[in-house]
Amino acid sequence: MSDASGELYRRATTLLPGGVNSPVRAMRAIGRDPIFIERGEGAELVDVDGNRYVDWVCSWGPLIAGHAHPDVVSAIGQAAAAGTSYGAPTAGEVELAAEIVDRVPSVEMVRMTSSGTEATMTAVRLARAVTGRDVILKFAGAYHGHVDGLLAEAGSGLATQGIPASPGVTAAAAADTRVVAWNDRAAVEQTLAQRPVAAILAEPYPGNMGVVGPEPGFLEFLRAAADDCGALLVFDEVISGFRVARGGAQERERVHPDLTALGKVIGGGLPAAALGGPRALMERLAPAGEVYQAGTLSGNPLAVAAGRATLALLDEEAYTRLAQTTEAIVAALREGAAEAGAAVQIQSVPGLFTVFFSPEPVRDYAGAQRCDLTAHGRFCRALLERGVYPPPSQFEAWFPSLAHEDRHLEQTATAAAEAFREATGT
Ligand SMILES: *Cc1c(COP(=O)(O)O)cnc(C)c1O
């Protein structure tokens, strides 16, 4: 049996810290080495040893249309042939901005960046400039990119690696962050009463501690709480934007934030993200206003072309299909878990779900941390052995795409029925 992945990983560990360029890819949390990928085709991945997998990660969200969608590939090719970057404005970025504004209810203007991290970093800077306040309220288990001040009790890779914050973040950078339990109204009120807060920053549908939805009324409560104390409400829709609905979680929940961070889907697999909001706030950014923000590759023509081609595929029918795919796979996994007697909670919103190895519903980060990580690790390893590639961490979401077909769901359900038995030792 060839082991090209193993050989590449050994070489990678001599050249890249941990052998990877982003921690969760290392698969340490599920007790195995990473798989090196050769190519993606629709909802499938092919690794360097020729193994084929049903892909439920889809690059952690950007690939809502699957790998190498012909429309996206051709848009990138055409853009590349005309030059890859100019450092000057283009028509494409104006059209992408118009599409975002048309979709996302609270957004009138956007500033594009190359990563979600930059989008949330800009949101924080803008919120502080607008309010003249320093403190940011964030939720435990929410991930907003690797911004120094936002790493406190962040989910995603930090949760996966068991890192509470990060060495190298100064006390000063962390001092203005207040971390509160998700879905905990009293804790929010208490924090807002202590010091003036510039922004309440939330993933409206948290996906980075696994999928832990807001309890009924919680987002409305955050909107009212922010208004009462003069803070901005910032939604980080880097995952939920253009995925859970045409206009993101804010459209689905009818709660409109002041600022919105977007990413992942809007780059269609290339590096693009954005911050959006009403004109009065957005025009505080340079050069319209005095709040500095910039980027050599921001609004990159290839990323803009990939993003526009991807959004063009996302009509109402596409969202209906994505929701149906999500429901179908969730139902199949629930059935497999029940038959195996596995104590799991499958928590979902359209286009996202997590299989929590927990006997009770997960409502916050503490609940996610109580999951049986050993059983989860066994489950993921068993899936991989059967040609199904799940997110290799308990604290992440599965990402259904428009490329997942019935046969992918069937293969996943069959593999999962066995994997649940292996996970629980039955
Ligand atoms: C992925 C993610 C980010 C960071 O985006 P990058 O492009 O990885 O910098 C921020 N917020 C959320 C909710 C994310 O899921």
Side-chain angles (χ1 to χ4, degrees), residues 60 114-118 120 143-146 156 203 207-208 236-240 261 263-264 272-273 399:
W60 302 99
S114 297
S115 67
T117 297
E118 292 168 86
T120 62
Y143 179 67
H144 304 292
H146 60 104
S156 193
E203 290 179 71
N208 286 293
D236 181 346
E237 296 225 47
V238 170
I239 283 184
S240 57
K264 299 197 165 111
F399 291 93

Side-chain angles (χ1 to χ4, degrees), residues 254-316:
R254 297 199 181 85
V255 176
H256 297 177
D258 298 295
L259 294 173
T260 304
L262 297 162
K264 299 197 165 111
V265 169
I266 59 166
L270 268 66
L275 178 69
R279 172 183 296 268
L281 291 177
M282 294 302 292
E283 284 194 333
R284 300 290 297 272
L285 289 173
E290 75 286 13
V291 180
Y292 195 70
Q293 198 284 338
T296 302
L297 295 177
S298 295
N300 173 264
L302 271 60
V304 163
R308 289 180 66 197
T310 300
L311 292 183
L313 298 167
L314 298 175
D315 53 14
E316 285 307 329

Side-chain angles (χ1 to χ4, degrees), residues 94-170:
V94 180
E95 294 312 319
L96 178 56
E99 180 67 27
I100 296 168
V101 167
D102 183 56
R103 285 172 175 254
V104 187
S106 68
V107 171
E108 292 174 1
M109 295 186 110
V110 300
R111 168 59 54 90
M112 289 173 202
T113 63
S114 297
S115 67
T117 297
E118 292 168 86
T120 62
M121 191 176 75
T122 304
V124 165
R125 185 180 302 144
L126 184 55
R128 285 174 170 155
V130 166
T131 60
R133 302 171 177 182
D134 296 337
V135 175
I136 305 295
L137 186 159
K138 80 172 281 282
F139 294 94
Y143 179 67
H144 304 292
H146 60 104
V147 182
D148 272 0
L150 301 179
L151 283 179
E153 291 187 58
S156 193
L158 286 106
T160 305
Q161 312 287 318
I163 305 172
S166 174
V169 174
T170 63

Side-chain angles (χ1 to χ4, degrees), residues 9 20 49 59 97 271 305 327:
Y9 182 52
V20 292
D49 291 298
S59 188
E327 267 175 42

Side-chain angles (χ1 to χ4, degrees), residues 69-90:
H69 189 285
D71 292 5
V72 178
V73 171
S74 112
I76 295 170
Q78 276 176 36
T84 52
S85 181
Y86 316 113
T90 64

